[in-house]
Amino acid sequence: MTQNPFFENPFFENWSTPFGVPPFDRIRPEHFPPAFERGMEDQIAEITAITRSSGAPSFANTIEALERSGRLLDRVSRVFFNLDSSNTNDALEAIARDYAPVLAQHRMRIALDPDLFARIAELHASRESLGLAPDQRRLIERYHLRFVRSGALLTPDQKARMAAISERLASLHTQFGQNVLHDERDWRLILDEADLDGLPQFARAAAAEAATERGLERKYAVTLSRSAVEPFLTFSSRRDLRRAVWEAWTARGTHAGPRDNAPLIGEIVALRTEQARLLGYDNFADYRLDDSMAKTATAVERLLREVWQPAKAKARDETAALEATARAEGLNEPIEAWDWRYYAEKVRQTKYNLDEAEVKPYFVLDNMVATAFDTATRLFGITFTERDDVPVYHPDVRVWEVRDRAGGHLGLFLHDNFARPGKQSGAWSSRYRDQEMMDEPVTPIVVNNNNFAKGTPTLLSFDDARTLFHEFGHGLHALLSRVRYRSQSGTSVLRDFVEFPSQIFEHWATAPETLRTYARHYRTGEPMPEELLQRLNAARTFNQGFATVEYTASALIDLELHRTAPPTNLDATRFEREFLDRMEVPRQIGLRHRLAHFQHLFSGGGYAAGYYAYLWAEVLEADGFAAFAEAGDIFDPGLAARLKDVYCAGDTRDPMELYRAFRGREPTIAALLEQRGLGAVGDD
Ligand SMILES: [Zn+2]
């Protein structure tokens, strides 16, 4: 019997799948619009029931009722936006364009509802006398702040303008992301055997696989996925081809025509500025940072500046070493951005006798996944069992059941590791369901996305391995969550704290203790030789001038753009060029993300004036991991237990308070400077 999508919509049924995972095999694009519509209607009815309730506002009839509202909308939104990021197609993209503004309007309708806000404000004012537990008190404070920051205190006219801007921004964000994806999908460099000079076996295999996937037998293709671009720029001895790949990579989002992102950036920044001013701030950065650990743009700038000059000084030394190598190889002109990785690799080989192609065979994807799981077992006592009875949305996705120390079900972990057309670039962690236990225990369903180039077996670079652990750290934050309320669950913390649990977890990917056990050669199964491990460790801070400049320049331009940009007629290309000149960003390095494809800032608002969050969290993370180093055991049980408390707490406590409870004191920047080799003079 065939299903008629108009009568049978999986979103309107209870899911009898294992663990209530979405029935991916039955969900079709046409199921989303009616589910979105009904989801919004249901939530409006639920909100109306709250505001019309005759009793005086109470925590239960207002805050908990709000937590309970919008369940259907949440369910359909999570499935939709996860699929639209990981496995999109024309139909999903069209729905995203249609519904982004509608959903924004829906959210603003609730956020600006005067009757609802009146109840929240009343509860907020009397919160000290309501006999609430600490998590409940914080929940009220966060709700109240969120409503105020959405415009609840504005006049009706101002509210209407806030709502209209949010709606327009949602469309612009969606369009921005789709433009980048299309530029990535459309471009590929087709190569013949003769064009592969310098490429090691793994890169050739990945290029062959990429060509085969696109129906090009006996050819090779380089795509614009970072995991294809980076190795090509590192190894190809063909300067002309490196340049072609570099230029395509950095031109994403800049092509004139309907997919040009420059005008979108101008409009987005102007609208954000207008919203910030309506809310009484000078600019968007002040507005954004007011609700962060950093608190002010000045504090963020201070941190960025603290690493900027030392990073540039280190990058100057690195440039000199690269140019010396380039000259010795017969390049008689300055090195360019498309040369950096290539000559850096040569310097690394000479200086540390370290060859990426020698290291990579020891980083087999499956082994590193097992390492990540095992690290979580040793630190936090949780275990992972693969399940093949759970529906998935793509055959590449693998599913693991996560159990606690006592064997109880803790959640599901979906791993989606490979690059493919229709998947956003980069790496990210997300959820299909959040943990909570307000009415009954709800276990999380977490997904990690990466964009590794598939191989047999898939081999990772050292950086890839860290990325794998980074996203898994976010995954653990969601899986270990033990909170009462959904909106405090797992990663729902302040944006400049959310990278702490993910970044600190990266340390276990590269720790010698880990590598000795898990880094095994894909052919021989031999563990990594001890002396190779020592060489890897010695090269720890190599090229960190480059990495720090590339990142910090992006964080600075983000801050500056949202702090100083003129509210109208911003020319993003010119702004970028002037910024690069003024800050004297080395031409051979540039920005890690150019504005035209800076998805952190423009595919959504999440990291706008917030890209610094990675460095902010690195202060905590470097300082935090130093505690394990000081203890002399990276699995020190006492520290691990206290770290687990951070992962479990979600947003139930203030982040600095959480950090102090883990570390016993506030963090200092010393460990960060040390781990990037930016500390003592002459340190490398
Ligand atoms: Zn992250």
Side-chain angles (χ1 to χ4, degrees):
M1 201 176 78
T2 55
Q3 283 188 2
N4 183 330
F6 295 99
F7 294 102
E8 297 196 32
N9 189 322
F11 289 108
F12 302 149
E13 301 163 7
N14 285 321
W15 294 342
S16 56
T17 47
F19 311 106
V21 83
F24 293 112
D25 46 339
R26 294 176 47 224
I27 295 173
R28 310 267 169 271
E30 60 269 27
H31 294 139
F32 289 107
F36 275 132
E37 296 296 339
R38 194 190 290 182
M40 288 185 284
E41 273 166 40
D42 285 3
Q43 192 172 21
I44 293 301
E46 288 154 350
I47 300 295
T48 309
I50 296 173
T51 53
R52 297 223 177 121
S53 112
S54 49
S58 68
F59 188 82
N61 75 16
T62 302
I63 303 294
E64 288 191 336
L66 261 176
E67 285 285 307
R68 222 168 265 126
S69 78
R71 294 287 160 152
L72 172 59
L73 184 58
D74 184 64
R75 185 153 88 150
V76 57
S77 299
R78 283 174 185 276
V79 174
F80 179 79
F81 288 106
N82 274 304
L83 292 184
D84 187 42
S85 304
S86 310
N87 206 33
T88 197
N89 53 44
D90 291 345
L92 293 184
E93 287 193 337
I95 297 169
R97 285 192 300 272
D98 288 347
Y99 276 90
V102 178
L103 292 167
Q105 195 183 41
H106 171 76
R107 282 191 296 270
M108 288 305 270
R109 182 173 167 187
I110 296 170
L112 300 174
D113 182 322
D115 299 331
L116 183 58
F117 180 67
R119 297 177 74 91
I120 294 170
E122 192 179 327
L123 290 168
H124 181 254
S126 58
R127 65 192 183 281
E128 305 291 350
S129 56
L130 296 174
L132 299 173
D135 62 330
Q136 296 176 317
R137 213 183 95 158
R138 184 169 168 88
L139 189 62
I140 286 197
E141 287 167 353
R142 298 299 302 164
Y143 262 111
H144 184 258
L145 187 65
R146 206 178 308 156
F147 274 70
V148 170
R149 286 173 60 79
S150 297
L153 296 173
L154 301 180
T155 65
D157 282 356
Q158 291 173 320
K159 282 183 181 175
R161 183 62 192 147
M162 282 296 285
I165 294 175
S166 294
E167 204 182 317
R168 177 68 186 150
L169 279 173
S171 288
L172 292 165
H173 294 157
T174 306
Q175 190 61 51
F176 186 96
Q178 291 187 359
N179 288 347
V180 177
L181 182 66
H182 281 269
D183 279 359
E184 287 175 356
R185 197 157 57 188
D186 289 354
W187 193 90
R188 64 202 168 206
L189 181 66
I190 310 292
L191 303 173
D192 286 315
E193 190 78 40
D195 303 322
L196 304 181
D197 286 357
L199 295 188
Q201 187 45 41
F202 77 84
R204 287 167 186 249
E209 171 88 25
T212 309
E213 243 174 37
R214 285 157 185 80
L216 304 155
E217 292 298 332
R218 282 203 291 277
K219 289 272 190 186
Y220 300 85
V222 184
T223 67
L224 290 185
S225 134
R226 193 177 272 276
S227 66
V229 169
E230 297 259 9
F232 192 84
L233 294 174
T234 304
F235 294 109
S236 172
S237 52
R238 287 280 300 274
R239 195 173 190 228
D240 57 332
L241 298 179
R242 287 202 310 268
R243 181 174 184 166
V245 168
W246 170 262
E247 285 178 348
W249 169 241
T250 51
R252 290 168 298 145
T254 65
H255 303 291
R259 289 195 202 132
D260 186 1
N261 271 340
L264 273 54
I265 294 169
E267 194 180 346
I268 289 171
V269 173
L271 291 174
R272 285 176 181 162
T273 307
E274 190 184 341
Q275 278 196 327
R277 292 195 175 152
L278 278 167
L279 293 165
Y281 295 89
D282 277 350
N283 55 63
F284 182 79
D286 284 354
Y287 162 71
R288 159 49 48 87
L289 293 163
D290 199 20
D291 185 31
S292 70
M293 279 183 89
K295 301 275 192 284
T296 64
T298 314
V300 172
E301 194 178 7
R302 195 184 310 130
L303 172 64
L304 295 173
R305 296 265 178 190
E306 212 158 345
V307 300
W308 180 241
Q309 291 306 340
K312 277 214 298 188
K314 187 159 160 58
R316 264 194 301 278
D317 292 349
E318 291 169 2
T319 309
L322 265 51
E323 290 194 329
T325 302
R327 266 196 305 282
E329 298 219 339
L331 181 75
N332 289 313
E333 44 186 301
I335 62 160
E336 297 292 342
W338 47 90
D339 299 320
W340 187 288
R341 289 169 179 80
Y342 179 74
Y343 289 109
E345 181 61 19
K346 303 255 175 215
V347 171
R348 197 163 78 122
Q349 286 179 17
T350 331
K351 196 166 174 186
Y352 299 98
N353 187 20
L354 205 59
D355 176 350
E356 170 89 26
E358 183 192 359
V359 174
K360 205 155 173 164
Y362 291 96
F363 290 98
V364 180
L365 171 64
D366 286 351
N367 294 352
M368 292 318 288
V369 171
T371 311
F373 291 167
D374 199 45
T375 303
T377 306
R378 293 180 67 183
L379 286 171
F380 307 132
I382 59 176
T383 57
F384 295 77
T385 314
E386 185 155 19
R387 302 280 303 222
D388 55 12
D389 57 340
V390 176
V392 290
Y393 54 88
H394 188 279
D396 283 348
V397 181
R398 294 173 73 177
V399 183
W400 312 82
E401 185 187 356
V402 188
R403 295 206 183 93
D404 63 18
R405 216 182 287 269
H409 177 80
L410 206 59
L412 274 195
F413 178 67
L414 279 55
H415 224 175
D416 184 353
N417 281 322
F418 301 116
R420 60 172 170 264
K423 190 179 195 178
Q424 236 182 55
S425 58
W428 68 97
S429 178
S430 180
R431 287 100 50 223
Y432 282 93
R433 190 171 68 207
D434 277 334
Q435 181 273 338
E436 66 172 299
M437 40 196 174
M438 178 174 63
D439 293 326
E440 53 175 350
V442 175
T443 57
I445 300 173
V446 177
V447 60
N448 273 189
N449 280 276
N450 288 292
N451 266 289
F452 302 136
K454 199 193 269 186
T456 22
T458 298
L459 300 177
L460 305 184
S461 69
F462 205 45
D463 277 352
D464 288 341
R466 284 176 48 183
T467 301
L468 181 87
F469 271 62
H470 177 101
E471 299 311 333
F472 189 61
H474 285 306
L476 289 172
H477 200 184
L479 286 163
L480 289 167
S481 176
R482 280 196 70 74
V483 303
R484 186 160 23 171
Y485 299 108
R486 181 171 58 150
S487 49
Q488 293 178 325
S489 188
T491 50
S492 317
V493 296
L494 294 183
R495 187 50 54 102
D496 52 2
F497 187 62
V498 77
E499 300 299 336
F500 168 67
S502 56
Q503 290 185 179
I504 195 168
F505 203 73
E506 290 177 35
H507 286 277
W508 280 272
T510 55
E513 293 89 330
T514 306
L515 300 181
R516 274 185 200 110
T517 315
Y518 290 96
R520 290 177 176 272
H521 197 281
Y522 77 99
R523 278 218 190 91
T524 64
E526 291 289 314
M528 181 180 280
E530 188 63 26
E531 56 83 29
L532 174 56
L533 209 146
Q534 298 304 335
R535 278 185 278 142
L536 253 184
N537 201 38
R540 219 169 21 96
T541 61
F542 175 68
N543 212 35
Q544 280 299 308
F546 171 86
T548 311
V549 165
E550 191 196 32
Y551 163 80
T552 309
S554 282
L556 282 165
I557 197 172
D558 166 34
L559 187 67
E560 193 163 309
L561 185 64
H562 288 104
R563 207 179 178 188
T564 60
T568 50
N569 299 327
L570 171 75
D571 178 344
T573 315
R574 190 171 147 196
F575 183 89
E576 183 178 285
R577 198 174 47 239
E578 288 174 358
F579 169 86
L580 293 170
D581 287 348
R582 187 171 58 255
M583 298 301 293
E584 297 177 336
V585 179
R587 190 190 69 251
Q588 315 89 320
I589 298 177
L591 297 161
R592 182 166 174 87
H593 305 281
R594 291 191 60 198
L595 292 177
H597 47 252
F598 207 159
Q599 306 220 52
H600 290 82
L601 311 194
F602 305 118
S603 289
Y607 280 85
Y611 192 63
Y612 76 93
Y614 295 93
L615 196 72
W616 187 269
E618 193 176 329
V619 175
L620 305 179
E621 155 259 293
D623 185 73
F625 189 74
F628 287 92
E630 286 157 19
D633 176 6
I634 63 167
F635 293 102
D636 181 88
L639 280 169
R642 296 214 297 276
L643 183 61
K644 188 178 178 183
D645 290 341
V646 176
Y647 284 78
C648 293
D651 192 45
T652 54
R653 291 169 68 187
D654 172 77
M656 190 53 87
E657 196 186 297
L658 271 177
Y659 186 83
R660 274 195 306 262
F662 155 63
R663 187 63 163 109
R665 59 164 174 76
E666 299 218 343
T668 70
I669 195 177
L672 177 148
L673 294 175
E674 212 247 86
Q675 87 179 8
R676 286 188 175 246
L678 303 175
V681 182
D683 186 355
D684 194 17

